Amino acid sequence: QVQLQESGPGLVKPSETLSLTCTVSDGSISDHYWSWIRQPPGKGLDWMGHVHYSGTTIYNPSLKSRVTISVDTSNNQFSLRLASVTAADTAVYYCARAARYYYDSSGYYVLDSWGQGTLVTVSS
Amino acid sequence: DIQMTQSPSSLSASVRDRVTITCRASQSISSYLNWYQRKPGRAPKLLIYGASSLQSGVPSRFSGSGSGTDFTLTISSLQPEDFATYYCQQSYSTPWTFGQGTKVEIK
């Protein structure tokens, strides 16, 4: 089963850019979509967006132009960059694989493999 | 955005109890509804997709039902390893959205 692991700084200063990388092992990144999801303390899960291995991206409009998700197929990794962070961006950040499952003649996108999550705190 | 509302937000139950969690979408999402389980410090785990299809390896005591706007996750006989937080998620349209979670605790 594919494994995912987030890495990156656990502390980011306000107004700076948050950067995280997700390393995919026991499977190829050259298929499926690859997502970032976050959970602020005491709040629910928030889907940030995803990237296809071809480089096509879809972002959550709530993040406007602050978010960039990119893929590095040669290293089996994908990355998140979130610009101009504030305390509201403090959260546990998860990377996940979005795969298409077929059931009853329909295809459903599911987040079928997740990383353990990494806490990023925004503070000076 | 499609809003997903779960109820209850938490519940207390005993081993071997039947547990039902509901999830309501703010508009019809057909059967594009997934359920996840999350335990502290662990990666979330996919339980159900397409509203009612059991993910491979998930015990048969878990089941899902519903379509349109109303969905349920049922655990037929709660086991000690089932104490966790459960989330619904719609993949009908982006941005994908989650319910706020239901924490299942030991009574």
Side-chain angles (χ1 to χ4, degrees):
Chain A
Q1 181 172 338
V2 67
Q3 307 288 328
L4 293 89
Q5 179 66 58
E6 305 89 352
S7 59
L11 180 65
V12 181
K13 289 183 168 55
S15 79
E16 294 189 344
T17 296
L18 178 160
S19 295
L20 295 174
T21 296
C22 183
T23 301
V24 179
S25 56
D26 298 328
S28 175
I29 204 167
S30 296
D31 200 354
H32 308 297
Y33 284 87
W34 302 91
S35 293
W36 288 96
I37 301 105
R38 67 179 180 176
Q39 185 167 31
K43 296 189 177 182
L45 292 163
D46 182 30
W47 177 81
M48 302 179 72
H50 61 216
V51 61
H52 189 251
Y53 75 94
S54 63
T56 301
T57 53
I58 300 179
Y59 299 131
N60 192 324
S62 69
L63 296 168
K64 297 180 182 178
S65 58
R66 295 199 299 137
V67 64
T68 304
I69 300 174
S70 58
V71 64
D72 178 355
T73 55
S74 60
N75 287 308
N76 238 32
Q77 295 176 328
F78 64 106
S79 298
L80 170 73
R81 288 174 58 86
L82 184 65
S84 305
V85 297
T86 69
D89 295 309
T90 293
V92 175
Y93 286 76
Y94 296 95
C95 59
R97 184 178 78 172
R100 194 160 192 182
Y101 283 31
Y102 290 89
Y103 168 60
D104 201 21
S105 303
S106 294
Y108 300 95
Y109 278 107
V110 303
L111 297 160
D112 69 343
S113 298
W114 296 61
Q116 299 277 9
T118 186
L119 173 64
V120 179
T121 301
V122 178
S123 175
S124 55
Chain B
D1 298 4
I2 298 174
Q3 306 302 315
M4 307 300 294
T5 304
Q6 278 182 243
S7 60
S9 56
S10 65
L11 64 89
S12 296
S14 300
V15 173
R16 292 183 295 279
D17 280 356
R18 182 181 182 88
V19 169
T20 298
I21 298 168
T22 64
C23 179
R24 175 165 287 178
S26 60
Q27 67 182 74
S28 177
I29 58 170
S30 184
S31 296
Y32 292 86
L33 190 284
N34 307 317
W35 290 97
Y36 302 87
Q37 174 194 67
R38 196 186 66 181
K39 297 179 180 179
R42 304 268 300 266
K45 175 184 175 182
L46 174 67
L47 298 176
I48 302 280
Y49 63 93
S52 59
S53 182
L54 195 66
Q55 168 68 332
S56 176
V58 174
S60 59
R61 61 182 180 273
F62 290 92
S63 65
S65 65
S67 67
T69 60
D70 295 308
F71 302 87
T72 60
L73 173 70
T74 300
I75 309 172
S76 60
S77 178
L78 196 67
Q79 297 301 301
E81 60 268 30
D82 300 336
F83 292 95
T85 301
Y86 294 85
Y87 296 90
C88 62
Q89 176 246 334
Q90 64 83 18
S91 61
Y92 179 79
S93 66
T94 58
W96 294 346
T97 47
F98 293 83
Q100 79 278 18
T102 296
K103 187 173 185 179
V104 177
E105 298 175 303
I106 302 172
K107 181 182 281 185

